[in-house]
């Protein structure tokens, strides 16, 4: 009896974890950065970003991003971008890469980047998402940034069945 109960619990857990990153889900997220390990870490930095995305395949999320960055001694900047995120084996760990366009006073730049994070589910749809990121400037090394970002995400399922 104990073996049957264990098998049923294991089956339910595997089905529940599979459903978290399945095709058709819509993602909304927001995060805060400013824990840089770059040349910008010598001054106060605050970054806020919003993201939305769609699971185009199981474990593969396409993202759109909008970010505001404030530095103590440099002009504020607005960044827009597109990225992809791949969730590794339904355990919540993800790898991502993207391309951003950053605009500030007398400054425009394109930044390819990568990130590694973990989606920790607080409930069925809400996550806390710490991630390590790197955005490399194509113009000036001082505008490249590496650091830690803390965010929240919401995963919603779009039901396309007709009633």
């Amino acid at each position: 009896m104990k073996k049957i109960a264990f098998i049923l619990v294991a089956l339910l857990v595997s089905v529940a974890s599979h459903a978290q990153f399945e095709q058709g889900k819509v993602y909304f997220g927001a995060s805060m950065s400013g824990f840089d390990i770059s040349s910008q870490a010598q001054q106060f930095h605050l970054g806020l970003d919003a993201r939305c995305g769609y699971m185009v395949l199981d474990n593969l999320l396409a993202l759109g991003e909008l970010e505001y960055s404030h530095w103590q001694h440099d002009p504020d900047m607005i960044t827009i971008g597109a990225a992809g995120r791949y969730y590794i084996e339904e355990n919540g760990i993800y790898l991502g890469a993207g391309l951003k366009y950053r605009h500030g006073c007398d400054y425009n730049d394109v930044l390819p980047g990568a990130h590694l994070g973990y989606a920790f589910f607080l409930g069925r749809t809400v996550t806390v998402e710490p991630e390590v990121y790197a955005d490399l400037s194509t113009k000036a090394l001082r505008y490249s940034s590496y650091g830690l970002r803390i965010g929240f995400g919401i995963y919603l399922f779009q039901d396309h069945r007709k009633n």
Side-chain angles (χ1 to χ4, degrees):
M1 185 67 177
K2 287 182 183 180
K3 288 180 183 180
I4 293 173
F6 177 75
I7 291 170
L8 286 176
V9 168
L11 181 62
L12 287 174
V13 168
S14 68
V15 168
S17 67
H18 177 68
Q20 292 176 355
F21 305 115
E22 69 184 0
Q23 181 179 2
K25 283 201 173 182
V26 175
Y27 169 82
F28 297 100
S31 62
M32 182 178 84
S33 62
F35 314 103
D36 291 347
I37 310 169
S38 65
S39 61
Q40 297 159 345
Q42 298 170 359
Q43 61 179 318
F44 174 77
H45 169 237
L46 174 66
L48 301 171
D49 79 20
R51 300 173 181 179
C52 64
Y54 182 75
M55 287 281 187
V56 293
L57 298 171
D58 287 355
N59 300 327
L60 185 61
L61 179 66
L63 285 168
E65 302 175 301
L66 177 63
E67 180 180 348
Y68 167 77
S69 296
H70 171 77
W71 285 280
Q72 184 177 6
H73 302 295
D74 290 329
D76 293 353
M77 296 192 192
I78 300 288
T79 306
I80 59 170
R85 193 186 272 185
Y86 179 73
Y87 294 86
I88 302 170
E89 296 184 27
E90 299 291 334
N91 60 12
I93 296 174
Y94 58 84
L95 298 170
L99 191 62
K100 298 178 181 180
Y101 172 74
R102 183 173 285 166
H103 174 73
C105 181
D106 297 329
Y107 174 79
N108 294 306
D109 198 358
V110 175
L111 297 102
H115 54 272
L116 169 68
Y118 179 69
F120 177 76
F121 277 83
L122 298 175
R124 288 185 46 203
T125 59
V126 178
T127 59
V128 173
E129 299 178 346
E131 74 178 23
V132 177
Y133 69 93
D135 292 324
L136 304 173
S137 173
T138 57
K139 280 194 168 186
L141 184 59
R142 71 183 235 147
Y143 290 113
S144 294
S145 56
Y146 317 86
L148 177 66
R149 186 177 0 239
I150 305 287
F152 289 94
I154 299 172
Y155 294 80
L156 302 173
F157 187 70
Q158 289 287 348
D159 191 4
H160 297 290
R161 294 176 291 179
K162 295 185 179 184
N163 294 330

